[in-house]
Amino acid sequence: VCFAFTPAFTWISCTLEGGVMSVYPGNACCSGLLAIPQAKPNVNGICSTPLLGASICAECGDGKCGAGENYCNCSKDCRSPN
């Protein structure tokens, strides 16, 4: 979580790239990041979502498989090994 001091002298917070945030009113990813599911491949390579109610903040769609991204939650950037 990142805290920033705005010109209006109020604190705002956001979740950084690769960070996990609970899906709760007022929680947000930092600018330029998208909230994507926590889906990930299990040992057999099958996608599953282990924790509902939480998201990962990522730059999904930028052409790079980045922090928190995998082929289950950001197939735009990450290729399946199959």
Side-chain angles (χ1 to χ4, degrees):
V1 175
C2 173
F3 294 97
F5 201 57
T6 67
F9 300 106
T10 56
W11 285 97
I12 59 170
S13 65
C14 60
T15 302
L16 297 171
E17 183 180 12
V20 177
M21 71 169 186
S22 62
V23 179
Y24 187 80
N27 289 350
C29 294
C30 292
S31 181
L33 302 177
L34 300 172
I36 61 173
Q38 276 196 299
K40 62 182 179 181
N42 64 20
V43 294
N44 298 317
I46 298 169
C47 297
S48 64
T49 304
L51 181 61
L52 298 175
S55 295
I56 297 172
C57 293
E59 288 190 70
C60 185
D62 67 349
K64 295 180 274 185
C65 192
E69 298 175 350
N70 59 63
Y71 64 86
C72 295
N73 63 9
C74 186
S75 59
K76 296 175 201 172
D77 294 347
C78 307
R79 289 195 275 180
S80 171
N82 299 330

